[in-house]
Amino acid sequence: MKHTSSILLVLAMMFMGPMMAQKQVYKLPIDAGVKLSGNEFGFMMPTTAIKLDVTVTKVREIKGYYADDAEKMLGLTNVIANNRTYYKLCNVEISTEIVPDNTQTYLVEPSSNMIKSNSLAQSLLQKSSTIDGKSYAYSTKTSNIPDFFKNYANVSYTETEDDFVETKIINGVVTQVPANRTKLVSKSAGQKVQEAADRITQIRKDRNSLIAGEQEVAYSKEALELMINELNQAENDYLDLFRGIVLEDETHYIFYFIPESDNLCFDIFSLDQHEGFAAPASENGVRYQLRFSPIVNMPQYTVSSDVKPSPKGFPIRQEQQFEVYLQLNHENVHNFGTFSMLQWSPVKFLPCNLDPDINNIGFIF
C-alpha cells in the first residue's frame, strides 16, 4: 500500500511540473470572463516595414539676359526661352526594418521558468521603434546662381573720354588749351549684347592661339592646361548670358511604409511637375506604386485575421521571399530585388513548454 502511494505521488509531481510551467497566450482584445493572474505582459508580433529613400530634383531654368539675340549674334538656337521650374524623380532606394505589428497584439502569462530565469527583465531592455508613415526631407542640396551671371546685369555703365578746349589765362594772355576728362555713360542694350558677343569671339581666338602655339613664351603643359581651362570657363560664363542656365536642387525624402497582408500593390508616393513630391500619394501628379511578387505560390501566405491562439506557446512568423517592383501607373519601371517579408506568413504557435528569446520573435510592450 505504501509502495502504491509513492507511485501516485511521483505521477502527480510529473503532471504538476508542466502545469506550473504552462503559459497562457491571449490575443487582444481578450474574451470577457477570462481570469488573469496579474503577471501578464503585452507581446507584439513583428512585421516588416519598408524604408524608402527617394531623391527628387527641383529644376530651375533661367532665361539668359540676351536670349532673344542668341541666334542673330552667335547662331544659337537651343536656348532657354522662358523661366520655368519643374520637378523630376532621380532615384528610389528601399530597405527593410523589423517593427512591431499593432494588428497582432497578445497578452501572455509567463511560465515559471521565464520568471526564474529573469529573461523577461532582459527582454524589457529591448528598444522598439514606432513607424508613423510620415515623410520628411533631409540633406537638401541647393544650387546658387553663378556670380558672373547674377552680377553681369548690373554692369550697365562704361567710361568714355570727353575731349574739349579749355580757355586759360597764361602769363596775362588768354589761351585755349586742349583737355579731356573721363565720364561714365549708360550702356545701351545693343552695346551690352555686342560687347558679350565680341568677348566670346576674342576668347575663342585667344584659345586657338594657345593651342596652336603661336605665343612667344614656351608654357609648361600644366600652365597651358590651366589657361585653356580658364578660357573655357570664361567662354561658358558669357555663353550663359545668351543660352541661359539650369540649376538643380536635390532633396532626399525618407519615409516608412508597412504593407498590409491583404494586398500586394500599394500607392506609395506621387510626383507633380509643379508641386513636387508627396507621400502618401496625392491626387495631383503621377502615382508610383510598390508591388510585391511572392517567390512561391500565394496560397501559402493566406492567413485569416481572426486566428485565435489556444493557451499554448508564443505566436511566431517566418520570413517569406518577395520580389519588389517600383511601378508607374501600375507598370513596372524598376526591380529592387528580393526581400524577406513577415506579414504574408501564416501565424503559428510554439510548443507551450518552449521559452524562446523574445527579442528574436517579437516585442514586449
Side-chain angles (χ1 to χ4, degrees):
M1 185 72 178
K2 185 176 180 181
H3 180 68
T4 304
S5 299
S6 299
I7 294 175
L8 291 174
L9 179 61
V10 171
L11 291 173
M13 293 180 66
M14 289 175 63
F15 283 103
M16 287 178 64
M19 290 177 64
M20 291 176 64
Q22 176 71 53
K23 285 188 290 292
Q24 300 289 331
V25 179
Y26 308 97
K27 191 174 191 304
L28 295 177
I30 61 175
D31 297 330
V34 174
K35 294 182 180 180
L36 303 176
S37 66
N39 295 324
E40 293 82 6
F41 61 90
F43 174 79
M44 299 179 73
M45 294 190 69
T47 191
T48 306
I50 300 292
K51 177 182 178 182
L52 291 101
D53 184 347
V54 182
T55 305
V56 175
T57 299
K58 176 182 178 181
V59 182
R60 292 179 288 160
E61 294 183 352
I62 302 176
K63 180 181 177 180
Y65 300 118
Y66 310 141
D68 296 336
D69 299 299
E71 185 173 6
K72 178 181 68 176
M73 301 298 295
L74 299 173
L76 300 177
T77 56
N78 186 22
V79 300
I80 297 173
N82 297 287
N83 294 338
R84 70 166 181 153
T85 299
Y86 61 93
Y87 295 84
K88 65 180 182 180
L89 181 66
C90 289
N91 189 46
V92 180
E93 296 180 358
I94 69 170
S95 58
T96 58
E97 291 188 12
I98 304 301
V99 299
D101 185 351
N102 57 17
T103 68
Q104 292 289 335
T105 58
Y106 298 81
L107 200 62
V108 180
E109 181 178 350
S111 67
S112 57
N113 288 336
M114 295 180 69
I115 297 174
K116 290 178 182 178
S117 65
N118 204 31
S119 61
L120 281 179
Q122 296 174 2
S123 296
L124 285 172
L125 296 177
Q126 68 176 323
K127 303 294 183 182
S128 63
S129 58
T130 57
I131 303 298
D132 58 12
K134 295 181 180 179
S135 63
Y136 60 93
Y138 84 105
S139 186
T140 299
K141 181 181 178 182
T142 303
S143 300
N144 297 318
I145 298 176
D147 290 339
F148 183 89
F149 188 90
K150 179 172 59 178
N151 299 327
Y152 193 84
N154 298 325
V155 184
S156 300
Y157 297 91
T158 186
E159 292 183 350
T160 62
E161 295 292 333
D162 187 16
D163 297 325
F164 62 95
V165 177
E166 185 177 26
T167 301
K168 294 183 178 181
I169 299 176
I170 302 175
N171 298 326
V173 178
V174 177
T175 306
Q176 291 185 331
V177 180
N180 63 72
R181 62 187 171 189
T182 301
K183 63 179 181 180
L184 292 177
V185 296
S186 178
K187 296 180 183 178
S188 68
Q191 285 177 318
K192 290 190 285 186
V193 172
Q194 186 63 55
E195 183 182 85
D198 291 344
R199 186 65 183 131
I200 292 172
T201 301
Q202 186 59 49
I203 290 172
R204 290 172 176 174
K205 288 181 179 179
D206 293 342
R207 183 177 57 213
N208 290 337
S209 177
L210 282 174
I211 295 174
E214 297 175 359
Q215 67 279 359
E216 296 181 358
V217 179
Y219 296 109
S220 66
K221 178 182 177 182
E222 292 75 15
L224 192 61
E225 289 179 350
L226 177 61
M227 288 187 289
I228 291 175
N229 288 336
E230 289 179 349
L231 288 171
N232 289 340
Q233 181 61 53
E235 180 186 12
N236 284 323
D237 287 341
Y238 278 98
L239 283 173
D240 286 345
L241 301 175
F242 292 89
R243 64 193 179 191
I245 59 174
V246 178
L247 304 178
E248 295 189 349
D249 304 334
E250 184 179 279
T251 302
H252 290 270
Y253 294 91
I254 283 187
F255 61 103
Y256 293 86
F257 168 70
I258 301 178
E260 300 173 355
S261 60
D262 58 351
N263 200 357
L264 288 174
C265 188
F266 308 87
D267 281 334
I268 197 68
F269 65 86
S270 61
L271 188 68
D272 184 86
Q273 278 206 344
H274 304 291
E275 298 181 7
F277 172 86
S282 70
E283 296 298 326
N284 299 325
V286 294
R287 290 170 171 259
Y288 289 84
Q289 297 83 30
L290 281 185
R291 185 173 73 86
F292 298 82
S293 178
I295 301 300
V296 298
N297 293 332
M298 193 59 199
Q300 179 178 345
Y301 305 102
T302 303
V303 55
S304 171
S305 59
D306 298 327
V307 171
K308 296 286 184 181
S310 58
K312 294 183 180 179
F314 281 95
I316 62 168
R317 281 171 166 163
Q318 293 180 326
E319 293 180 333
Q320 308 292 343
Q321 301 298 307
F322 283 78
E323 290 278 349
V324 184
Y325 297 90
L326 179 69
Q327 293 189 327
L328 172 60
N329 296 328
H330 298 283
E331 294 290 336
N332 291 345
V333 294
H334 180 68
N335 182 357
F336 292 107
T338 303
F339 290 83
S340 298
M341 306 294 294
L342 285 167
Q343 42 267 72
W344 285 284
S345 174
V347 176
K348 298 180 180 180
F349 296 91
L350 295 174
C352 63
N353 60 351
L354 179 61
D355 294 330
D357 182 352
I358 298 178
N359 294 316
N360 293 331
I361 64 169
F363 299 83
I364 289 179
F365 68 96

